[in-house]
Amino acid sequence: MSVEPLVLAVDDEAGVLRLLKLELSSQGFRVLTASNAEEAEKIVSEHRPDLALLDVMMPGMDGFEVARRLKAGPRTAHIPIIFMTGLTETEYLVAALEAGG
């Protein structure tokens, strides 16, 4: 019996979430989506994702803070994080690494 890897995708744009869910599901992943940090934290408290895809620029709590919180928790510190962003300046790349991405 194989278990599909679980991916958490967090983005404030519904179209991006639909596309991610469609593409990842077609590749054999189970995908849970959240449109903000609060939804993401609720999902993580109930499920154990194998990977988190985080948008950096969201209203309220940004993706960097979500990552820091995930990495600080003993139940979630192991979750690999990939940031989804068009920001390419060095300061954002450093911030992504420092946040645990």
Side-chain angles (χ1 to χ4, degrees):
M1 176 176 133
S2 71
V3 176
E4 298 169 318
L6 179 61
V7 176
L8 170 62
V10 185
D11 198 301
D12 60 323
E13 293 189 33
V16 171
L17 290 177
R18 279 192 303 274
L19 179 63
L20 284 170
K21 188 165 191 164
L22 178 69
E23 289 298 319
L24 292 170
S25 296
S26 74
Q27 298 298 314
F29 295 92
R30 288 183 305 140
V31 181
L32 298 176
T33 60
S35 61
N36 59 52
E38 292 77 20
E39 287 178 17
E41 288 181 328
K42 184 175 187 312
I43 289 171
V44 168
S45 73
E46 297 171 1
H47 303 276
R48 291 209 170 180
D50 297 298
L51 174 68
L53 302 174
L54 303 178
D55 181 20
V56 170
M57 304 300 286
M58 295 185 289
M61 189 185 312
D62 66 21
F64 296 139
E65 182 59 27
V66 174
R68 282 190 284 276
R69 288 181 179 207
L70 288 174
K71 292 301 181 182
R75 283 189 64 241
T76 56
H78 71 283
I79 300 171
I81 296 170
I82 297 175
F83 287 105
M84 303 180 295
T85 183
L87 302 172
T88 59
E89 292 86 3
T90 302
E91 66 187 276
Y92 295 110
L93 298 174
V94 170
L97 291 172
E98 288 177 345

